[in-house]
């Protein structure tokens, strides 16, 4: 990947792919339509860097680095 932010590709193509995997329901909930953990949390493969939780990837695409704390 050309540019990474905490392992998340910072390219328009990746963001477009990511957001296309989310279904927005009428009640305002956003549902991840790909892989999920046993507890139902969305996960994203960032090969070869590993796996990240979908909500963290969404934040990083939208806002940049996740602050500590």
């Amino acid at each position: 990947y050309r540019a990474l932010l905490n392992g998340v590709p910072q390219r328009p193509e990746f963001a477009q792919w990511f957001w296309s995997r989310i279904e927005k329901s009428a009640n305002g909930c956003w549902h991840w339509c790909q892989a999920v953990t046993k507890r139902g949390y969305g996960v994203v493969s960032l090969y070869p860097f590993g796996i990240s939780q979908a909500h963290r990837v969404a934040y990083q695409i939208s806002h940049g680095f996740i602050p500590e704390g």
Side-chain angles (χ1 to χ4, degrees), residues 8 14 18 44 46 52-62:
V8 175
F14 178 79
F18 179 84
V44 181
L46 299 173
S52 186
Q53 296 170 328
H55 67 279
R56 293 178 64 85
V57 174
Y59 184 94
Q60 290 171 302
I61 289 171
S62 299

Side-chain angles (χ1 to χ4, degrees), residues 14-66:
F14 178 79
Q16 182 178 357
W17 171 87
F18 179 84
W19 295 121
S20 73
R21 273 41 182 193
I22 294 174
E23 258 182 30
K24 297 178 184 177
S25 63
N27 67 2
C29 291
W30 292 20
H31 299 279
W32 179 245
C33 297
Q34 295 289 280
V36 295
T37 65
K38 291 179 184 177
R39 292 186 170 178
Y41 291 99
V43 292
V44 181
S45 173
L46 299 173
Y47 180 83
F49 304 101
I51 295 173
S52 186
Q53 296 170 328
H55 67 279
R56 293 178 64 85
V57 174
Y59 184 94
Q60 290 171 302
I61 289 171
S62 299
H63 304 287
F65 283 104
I66 299 173

